[in-house]
């Protein structure tokens, strides 16, 4: 692209802001919630909670079955291939606005839960762009901050949880130097 | 595998959460991280790639960190407790070779009425909002919540 046609961060932000509130189509999880991913998820942090791992125990609780650990929908969302993960914006799971930088870092997450997810449930995710703005960081005075939301529902269309990712997107030092 | 159940009356501001723990972040744990979260981004498992991205080494992903915090809380609140809201901020990386400590402290308490029984003889139940909630000892019922 010729230099004179290159958009400034402010121009890119103007385009990005038009996407706030935009939602993806609902994307059903490929499989019902299963025992085995929970086992691997719990193993990773030495979690031996019987509510997540012991079907006999879980059956006798008020949930009536093995419960999905509260933060696990994020892990399951990532299920797939490295290529799929690198193209979540293109795959329809997330709304990613245009940004001047290529380097994304997840800076924070917020969660709210409404009803438990039980093994056998069929979940659906819908993405939404919550916000985008410029806030300087040490290495990039025009770093972009992107807030994405993921709304998870079950097969009864009940809200399971909402989580927000607060993403920082910055440019390389060379790109920042070009902008000055 | 029965767990201790805590109740509203057991919790006080400034109380240390007793279920804290630590994990050594060795290469096996990094492999378990990829297996557990299915997060294949190479910065979390490929040391050469991580170095090429300007970070000191491979580091734990967000899914691992939320899972670790989740274990602390769900171990504490017991199988009758529920998480309602949660926020986590990334301040620095947990790198290969580090030891990660997971611990917490009660900073505030909230009680709010979130359900009422159809049976007039049965009292409504109080639930704690914020990061964790549990039923009152004196209340037999409760809503279906997320642990």
């Amino acid at each position: 692209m010729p230099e004179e046609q290159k958009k400034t961060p402010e121009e890119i932000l103007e385009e990005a802001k038009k996407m706030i509130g935009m939602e993806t189509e609902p994307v059903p999880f490929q499989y019902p919630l299963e025992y085995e991913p929970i086992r691997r998820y719990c193993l990773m942090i030495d979690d031996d909670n019987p509510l997540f791992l012991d079907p006999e125990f879980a059956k006798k609780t008020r949930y009536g079955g093995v419960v999905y650990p509260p933060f696990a929908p994020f892990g399951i969302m990532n299920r797939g291939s490295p290529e799929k993960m690198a193209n979540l914006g293109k795959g329809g799971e997330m709304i990613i606005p245009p940004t001047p930088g290529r380097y994304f870092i997840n800076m924070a997450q917020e969660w709210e839960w409404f009803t438990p997810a039980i093994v056998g449930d069929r979940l659906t995710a819908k993405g939404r762009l919550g916000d985008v703005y410029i806030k300087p960081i040490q290495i990039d005075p025009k770093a972009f901050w992107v807030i994405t939301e993921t709304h998870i529902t079950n097969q009864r269309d009940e809200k399971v949880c909402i989580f927000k990712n607060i993403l920082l997107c910055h440019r390389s030092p060379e790109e920042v130097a070009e902008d000055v | 595998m029965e767990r201790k159940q805590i109740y509203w009356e057991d919790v006080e501001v400034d109380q240390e959460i007793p279920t804290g723990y630590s994990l050594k972040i060795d290469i096996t744990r990094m492999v378990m991280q990829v297996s557990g979260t299915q997060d294949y981004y190479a910065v979390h498992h490929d040391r050469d790639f991580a170095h090429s991205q300007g970070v000191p080494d491979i580091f734990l992903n967000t899914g691992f960190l939320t899972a670790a915090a989740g274990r602390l809380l769900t171990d504490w609140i017991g199988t009758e407790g529920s998480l309602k809201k949660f926020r986590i901020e990334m301040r620095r990386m947990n790198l290969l070779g580090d030891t990660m400590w997971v611990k917490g402290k009660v900073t505030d308490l909230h009680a709010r009425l979130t359900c009422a029984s159809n049976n007039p003889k049965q009292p409504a139940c109080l639930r704690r909002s914020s990061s964790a909630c549990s039923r009152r000892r004196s209340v037999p019922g409760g809503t279906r919540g997320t642990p």
Side-chain angles (χ1 to χ4, degrees):
Chain A
M1 182 185 290
E3 195 63 34
E4 61 273 17
Q5 289 180 11
K6 197 169 182 180
K7 290 179 180 166
T8 65
E10 289 79 5
E11 288 170 333
I12 295 172
L13 181 66
E14 199 174 318
E15 283 179 28
K17 278 193 170 296
K18 290 175 186 164
M19 297 171 68
I20 293 173
M22 196 178 281
E23 296 181 346
T24 66
E25 289 296 314
V27 180
F29 283 34
Q30 192 173 3
Y31 306 108
L33 298 184
E34 300 164 327
Y35 294 106
E36 176 57 20
I38 300 177
R39 187 192 66 78
R40 284 188 279 108
Y41 183 88
C42 289
L43 182 68
M44 138 183 114
I45 44 155
D46 297 348
D47 190 344
D48 62 358
N49 195 324
L51 199 54
F52 308 141
L53 297 168
D54 183 344
E56 288 305 311
F57 175 91
K59 196 161 63 178
K60 295 173 192 155
T61 67
R62 61 191 169 116
Y63 305 104
V66 165
V67 175
Y68 219 53
F71 298 102
F74 181 67
I76 285 292
M77 284 282 296
N78 291 335
R79 181 188 285 182
S81 64
E83 290 73 25
K84 185 185 174 191
M85 280 205 63
N87 292 290
L88 280 177
K90 295 172 192 166
E93 284 92 344
M94 291 176 81
I95 303 280
I96 301 290
T99 55
R102 291 172 287 128
Y103 301 96
F104 278 89
I105 306 170
N106 200 3
M107 296 301 289
Q109 258 189 8
E110 292 178 358
W111 287 75
E112 185 169 6
W113 294 273
F114 303 95
T115 195
I118 309 292
V119 164
D121 280 356
R122 300 204 76 114
L123 301 187
T124 296
K126 189 167 74 173
R128 181 179 180 277
L129 181 62
D131 202 359
V132 54
Y133 53 89
I134 291 176
K135 184 175 153 190
I137 60 170
Q138 197 171 5
I139 59 171
D140 187 351
K142 291 173 183 171
F144 271 44
W145 293 72
V146 177
I147 300 179
T148 64
E149 298 173 9
T150 303
H151 298 242
I152 309 276
T153 52
N154 64 20
Q155 67 277 14
R156 293 178 295 278
D157 209 28
E158 297 166 331
K159 269 199 291 189
V160 171
C161 64
I162 297 173
F163 63 89
K164 295 180 183 178
N165 280 306
I166 293 91
L167 303 165
L168 165 66
C169 175
H170 67 86
R171 299 169 292 175
S172 67
E174 294 76 22
E175 290 167 326
V176 171
E178 277 177 27
D179 188 40
V180 171
Chain B
M1 291 173 84
E2 190 67 39
R3 303 295 182 96
K4 184 188 173 194
Q5 183 59 54
I6 61 160
Y7 296 90
W8 176 256
E9 295 90 343
D10 302 328
V11 183
E12 294 175 354
V13 172
D14 289 335
Q15 177 187 341
E16 294 285 337
I17 294 178
T19 50
Y21 63 98
S22 66
L23 294 173
K24 182 90 180 81
I25 311 303
D26 56 18
I27 197 71
T28 303
R29 186 71 61 182
M30 288 296 188
V31 173
M32 291 158 82
Q33 166 206 223
V34 177
S35 169
T37 64
Q38 299 284 284
D39 180 348
Y40 300 112
Y41 184 35
V43 79
H44 300 302
H45 66 262
D46 182 333
R47 301 187 75 182
D48 290 339
F49 179 82
H51 294 147
S52 76
Q53 298 298 297
V55 292
D57 213 326
I58 54 176
F59 58 95
L60 294 175
N61 63 23
T62 306
F64 188 100
L65 300 179
T66 54
R71 175 188 152 188
L72 173 84
L73 294 169
T74 52
D75 277 354
W76 178 48
I77 62 180
T79 53
E80 292 293 322
S82 305
L83 295 188
K84 301 302 288 181
K85 286 186 179 178
F86 179 88
R87 178 181 169 89
I88 188 169
E89 294 180 8
M90 266 51 85
R91 300 289 175 85
R92 62 180 60 185
M93 288 174 273
N94 289 277
L95 297 164
L96 176 66
D98 286 351
T99 296
M100 185 175 78
W101 288 87
V102 187
K103 44 190 176 181
K105 189 175 180 179
V106 178
T107 58
D108 201 0
L109 295 172
H110 301 279
R112 67 187 165 103
L113 198 61
T114 56
C115 65
S117 167
N118 290 328
N119 180 350
K121 290 180 181 173
Q122 191 178 38
C125 71
L126 283 171
R127 300 175 73 92
R128 188 180 319 131
S129 61
S130 287
S131 59
C133 83
S134 62
R135 297 184 301 175
R136 287 183 73 198
R137 185 175 277 129
S138 54
V139 177
T143 54
R144 210 168 170 231
T146 303

